[in-house]
Amino acid sequence: NVKIPYPFRGATRVNLIAVGAGIAPMVQALEKLLETEGDETQVVLMYGNRDVPDILLREKLDAWALAHARRFKLVYCVGSRWANVHYGAKPKARAKGQYVAPPPPEVGIDGLRASGARVAAENGWVDQRVIEAHAFPPSRSTLTFVCGLPGVYDALCGPRNAPGLAEGSALANLGYTPDRVVKF
């Protein structure tokens, strides 16, 4: 299901953003990028799931992170896009002038960091803050792939089947250009 052929448009740095089952085409891309002899492409995968047990292909991803630590960074994002609120409580509390503390980190998130590998774990969804903190910045040598749910596309780059990047989307805000973003 990879929409462009390997090697990926001469990119020397690749950002992969996946949520849930959106990991499938990213694994195909990772297989080529990491297992092709002589390929030195630098890769960051930001992978979001609601809970730690929902992480698909975790053993394979962790193994790649260990085997290719020099050029592959893995970022697990666990929780929801509302990681900093209690469902329904924050607006009600704010209306009454009360403070509502953010919920604790997702159970098991600390166990996601593999020793000896470049693995990070973030509480919450893949969003503009996570991309800015972990992804390669926009450039002619950086290619960014996105795959996930409709809401993921809307927030990060605009609807999946719409050309270009939506104004106000995370990738547009960070300066990425439509010719360097691939929506799966």
Side-chain angles (χ1 to χ4, degrees):
N1 193 26
V2 175
K3 293 184 176 186
I4 60 174
Y6 173 86
F8 303 118
R9 297 185 195 164
T12 58
R13 301 179 306 178
V14 175
N15 296 317
L16 305 172
I17 304 170
V19 174
I23 193 65
M26 303 308 176
V27 168
Q28 290 177 343
L30 280 167
E31 190 104 50
K32 282 298 214 182
L33 289 163
L34 299 176
E35 301 297 335
T36 299
E37 191 173 324
D39 190 325
E40 291 297 319
T41 306
Q42 298 290 308
V43 185
V44 174
L45 168 63
M46 292 156 279
Y47 181 30
N49 286 278
R50 220 173 260 287
D51 295 303
V52 172
D54 293 337
I55 297 172
L56 301 173
L57 301 168
R58 181 173 168 200
E59 295 79 18
K60 186 174 200 71
L61 296 172
D62 287 346
W64 275 336
L66 283 169
H68 302 281
R70 182 180 54 78
R71 61 189 194 95
F72 176 49
K73 179 178 180 182
L74 175 58
V75 182
Y76 289 115
C77 299
V78 180
S80 73
R81 61 180 152 231
W82 300 284
N84 62 342
V85 298
H86 295 284
Y87 295 97
K90 192 170 185 175
K92 293 174 190 171
R94 192 178 304 149
K96 295 178 186 177
Q98 299 170 335
Y99 171 75
V100 176
E106 292 294 322
V107 174
I109 194 169
D110 290 330
L112 292 175
R113 295 169 184 92
S115 68
R118 290 175 37 198
V119 179
E122 295 277 354
N123 188 37
W125 212 242
V126 180
D127 58 13
Q128 185 170 325
R129 178 192 61 79
V130 170
I131 295 167
E132 190 168 31
H134 297 285
F136 296 111
S139 77
R140 293 298 316 152
S141 63
T142 301
L143 187 61
T144 301
F145 295 166
V146 180
C147 190
L149 304 166
V152 171
Y153 292 105
D154 292 344
L156 299 183
C157 56
R160 179 176 174 230
N161 295 323
L165 294 176
E167 189 174 320
S169 66
L171 292 173
N173 291 344
L174 292 170
Y176 292 87
T177 57
D179 64 315
R180 305 306 292 165
V181 175
V182 179
K183 302 174 190 179
F184 287 92

